[in-house]
Amino acid sequence: MPNTHKAEKNGAVPPPANEKIPAGRQRWWKLMDFDIGIIPFPVYVGLVALLAIFGLTGNIHTELAMVIAIMTVGAFTLGELGKRIPLIKHIGGAAIMVTILPSFINYLGVLPQEMTAAVGDFFSSSKILNLFIAAVIVGSILAMNRTSLIKGFSKIFVPLLVGTVCAIVLGTVTGTLLGLGTLHTLFFVVAPIMAGGVGEGAVPLTIGYSSALGLDQGESLAMVLPPIMIGNVTAVLGAGVLSYLGKRKPHLTGNGELQPGGHGEITQQAEEKFVLNVQNLAAAGMVAVFCYLCGVLANDLLDWPAPVVMLGIAIVLTLLHGVSPRLRNGANGIYKLAITALAFPILFTFSLVMTPWESLVAGFAPANLITCVLTVLGMIGGGYLGAKWVRLHPIDTAIVVATHSGMGGAGDLAILASANRMSLMPFAQIATRIGGALTVVLALIAVGPLLG
């Protein structure tokens, strides 16, 4: 007889107690219940074979089913590999592999260009990263109680500020000592790392630099991209190390909560009561869509950052008891679905089509690399110390502060996935969006008088 307890735990329906199951069927079911990520193993083998045939025949379709197959097979293959590599597996190896290796795969041309193009077109046109962040933010915010929400957001700015100051000082001093020049290090290494990514950070930053300094924007962008890439990779690795430290020293972490006795307890209670209801799931999904579209409209009309607006609406709904218990339950389901099914495929796609391997390699010049790494370590260390001052869990807080060194939404996803702390996404958005916007503004104010 199969292990019915294990079957129930995995969500399978056990057979009647008096039904005799043939041995061959039991072996097949065992294979079908062994997953590569979210893909049953026999289906995984079939998808790999199908994608190989499509690639060899050059008959790559651009329909959604093909894109989903490429994204999931690629992401969860690398994820399983990362779970098994010695040392790396202890510091978020799955997320690290999915974040870095696809860029190298694209550089080598391992995948047919048609596959890469199909996935890239879908990623750009669908804005799936934004929708994923909406699902994670709305789901995690609605799972918090009001008191923890208020305390968490009011306190996070202290360690974020401390981390930012430490990063600026340590990064600038390091770059100066290594011969990069004080102002060059500040404006072309440190500031880009903290600017909030490429689209919302590097692009407006380099447009301002080109105007103030008379530089070509393409030249400026080429200079700041390597630090952004290396800063993001360092933050991902740092988050993985912090997660491992939390396992060794449990008193330093809330395992996904900032405030002691805070939202993690509420989330756990919601998990225990969670029963999948398709109607509730769909209804909560529409709440997430509503919040997301409000953010998009605010960005179109007022040029406000869409994720921040979306975050604000979700917070207001929670503070005013604006959603019913059934919608909170459904939002928890949306959150679980997004983390389980979408996180790694989105990371894989972003790395494959949006992360130039050449830029990563360029960042490994010794002086540049050391400066970038110490800038991020200053950010993380400052966040850790600042958390103790305001009585937050230092490891979880340092992970949130590390996202200030990430590449926007995709960077937040990679950093939190590496640490298995996706419930911290709302706080990460504060660090990335608000912290990044302030960095860009202050850098553009100062660059003219100092370098012009």
Side-chain angles (χ1 to χ4, degrees), residues 1-14:
M1 291 291 291
N3 188 333
T4 56
H5 175 73
K6 183 177 180 180
E8 290 174 355
K9 185 178 179 181
N10 291 339
V13 179

Side-chain angles (χ1 to χ4, degrees), residues 208-260:
Y209 285 178
S210 63
S211 176
L213 305 177
L215 298 174
D216 177 72
Q217 195 213 345
E219 179 184 347
S220 299
L221 191 60
M223 293 171 67
V224 304
L225 272 180
I228 291 173
M229 302 286 185
I230 295 301
N232 188 73
V233 172
T234 304
V236 171
L237 292 170
V241 172
L242 285 169
S243 177
Y244 180 68
L245 178 62
K247 295 175 183 176
R248 301 293 299 271
K249 298 183 180 295
H251 65 284
L252 296 175
T253 179
N255 293 311
E257 68 172 44
L258 292 183
Q259 184 79 23

Side-chain angles (χ1 to χ4, degrees), residues 355-444:
T355 307
W357 181 253
E358 296 87 345
S359 296
L360 279 174
V361 173
F364 281 96
N368 203 48
L369 175 63
I370 295 171
T371 303
C372 292
V373 169
L374 288 181
T375 298
V376 176
L377 292 181
M379 180 77 67
I380 293 173
Y384 187 97
L385 294 175
K388 291 191 170 185
W389 295 345
V390 291
R391 296 183 180 179
L392 295 176
H393 290 300
I395 285 179
D396 303 87
T397 304
I399 291 169
V400 169
V401 174
T403 62
H404 191 18
S405 311
M407 291 177 59
D412 291 348
L413 172 56
I415 293 164
L416 298 182
S418 174
N420 194 26
R421 298 291 198 283
M422 205 65 74
S423 60
L424 297 174
M425 180 64 82
F427 301 100
Q429 287 290 295
I430 291 291
T432 302
R433 305 298 178 178
I434 295 181
L438 289 174
T439 298
V440 171
V441 170
L442 294 175
L444 292 181

Side-chain angles (χ1 to χ4, degrees), residues 97-140:
M97 295 294 287
V98 177
T99 302
I100 299 174
L101 206 55
S103 175
F104 186 56
I105 289 173
N106 190 29
Y107 173 76
L108 295 178
V110 173
L111 292 180
Q113 184 59 37
E114 294 83 1
M115 281 190 180
T116 303
V119 172
D121 290 344
F122 167 77
F123 188 80
S124 300
S125 62
S126 67
K127 305 289 184 183
I128 189 173
L129 174 61
N130 295 340
L131 196 58
F132 170 84
I133 292 174
V136 172
I137 286 178
V138 172
S140 53

Side-chain angles (χ1 to χ4, degrees), residues 312-383:
I313 294 171
I315 291 173
V316 170
L317 285 173
T318 300
L319 294 179
L320 299 180
H321 303 287
V323 292
S324 63
R326 82 165 183 109
L327 288 176
R328 289 169 64 96
N329 184 276
N332 186 37
I334 291 290
Y335 167 80
K336 288 163 64 72
L337 178 64
I339 298 305
T340 303
L342 295 179
F344 275 17
I346 291 175
L347 277 177
F348 172 84
T349 306
F350 186 86
S351 178
L352 185 71
V353 301
M354 302 292 290
T355 307
W357 181 253
E358 296 87 345
S359 296
L360 279 174
V361 173
F364 281 96
N368 203 48
L369 175 63
I370 295 171
T371 303
C372 292
V373 169
L374 288 181
T375 298
V376 176
L377 292 181
M379 180 77 67
I380 293 173

Side-chain angles (χ1 to χ4, degrees), residues 11-385:
V13 179
N18 59 351
E19 181 181 346
K20 184 174 178 61
I21 308 298
R25 190 189 304 173
Q26 290 187 45
R27 287 192 292 270
W28 175 252
W29 284 357
K30 187 175 182 180
L31 275 177
M32 287 296 286
D33 286 341
F34 176 73
D35 296 337
I36 302 297
I38 62 171
I39 313 172
F41 182 71
V43 177
Y44 170 83
V45 173
L47 284 173
V48 171
L50 286 170
L51 291 176
I53 293 171
F54 280 120
L56 291 173
T57 59
N59 193 22
I60 307 296
H61 300 272
T62 57
E63 61 185 273
L64 185 57
M66 176 70 75
V67 172
I68 290 174
I70 298 169
M71 292 171 63
T72 53
V73 169
F76 291 116
T77 298
L78 296 180
E80 291 294 324
L81 180 62
K83 291 177 183 178
R84 289 163 171 77
I85 298 178
L87 298 179
I88 293 180
K89 67 181 181 180
H90 296 298
I91 58 170
I96 291 170
M97 295 294 287
V98 177
T99 302
I100 299 174
L101 206 55
S103 175
F104 186 56
I105 289 173
N106 190 29
Y107 173 76
L108 295 178
V110 173
L111 292 180
Q113 184 59 37
E114 294 83 1
M115 281 190 180
T116 303
V119 172
D121 290 344
F122 167 77
F123 188 80
S124 300
S125 62
S126 67
K127 305 289 184 183
I128 189 173
L129 174 61
N130 295 340
L131 196 58
F132 170 84
I133 292 174
V136 172
I137 286 178
V138 172
S140 53
I141 286 289
L142 297 185
M144 296 184 195
N145 73 358
R146 297 169 72 256
T147 303
S148 300
L149 186 66
I150 294 169
K151 288 182 178 179
F153 277 100
S154 62
K155 290 183 176 181
I156 192 60
F157 288 99
V158 173
L160 181 59
L161 177 61
V162 175
T164 300
V165 172
C166 290
I168 292 173
V169 173
L170 186 57
T172 305
V173 169
T174 301
T176 302
L177 294 177
L178 293 177
L180 297 179
T182 301
L183 296 180
H184 176 86
T185 302
L186 178 62
F187 289 106
F188 289 93
V189 179
V190 176
I193 288 175
M194 301 188 301
V198 178
E200 296 182 358
V203 171
L205 195 66
T206 53
I207 289 174
Y209 285 178
S210 63
S211 176
L213 305 177
L215 298 174
D216 177 72
Q217 195 213 345
E219 179 184 347
S220 299
L221 191 60
M223 293 171 67
V224 304
L225 272 180
I228 291 173
M229 302 286 185
I230 295 301
N232 188 73
V233 172
T234 304
V236 171
L237 292 170
V241 172
L242 285 169
S243 177
Y244 180 68
L245 178 62
K247 295 175 183 176
R248 301 293 299 271
K249 298 183 180 295
H251 65 284
L252 296 175
T253 179
N255 293 311
E257 68 172 44
L258 292 183
Q259 184 79 23
H263 69 271
E265 180 183 349
I266 302 302
T267 303
Q268 183 178 2
Q269 293 173 2
E271 292 284 347
E272 292 171 353
K273 297 178 181 177
F274 177 72
V275 177
L276 179 62
N277 181 293
V278 175
Q279 177 67 30
N280 296 350
L281 199 69
M286 294 312 299
V287 175
V289 170
F290 166 77
C291 295
Y292 170 68
L293 290 179
C294 286
V296 172
L297 182 62
N299 182 258
D300 290 343
L301 298 181
L302 304 172
D303 203 29
W304 291 353
V308 175
V309 174
M310 176 175 59
L311 176 63
I313 294 171
I315 291 173
V316 170
L317 285 173
T318 300
L319 294 179
L320 299 180
H321 303 287
V323 292
S324 63
R326 82 165 183 109
L327 288 176
R328 289 169 64 96
N329 184 276
N332 186 37
I334 291 290
Y335 167 80
K336 288 163 64 72
L337 178 64
I339 298 305
T340 303
L342 295 179
F344 275 17
I346 291 175
L347 277 177
F348 172 84
T349 306
F350 186 86
S351 178
L352 185 71
V353 301
M354 302 292 290
T355 307
W357 181 253
E358 296 87 345
S359 296
L360 279 174
V361 173
F364 281 96
N368 203 48
L369 175 63
I370 295 171
T371 303
C372 292
V373 169
L374 288 181
T375 298
V376 176
L377 292 181
M379 180 77 67
I380 293 173
Y384 187 97
L385 294 175

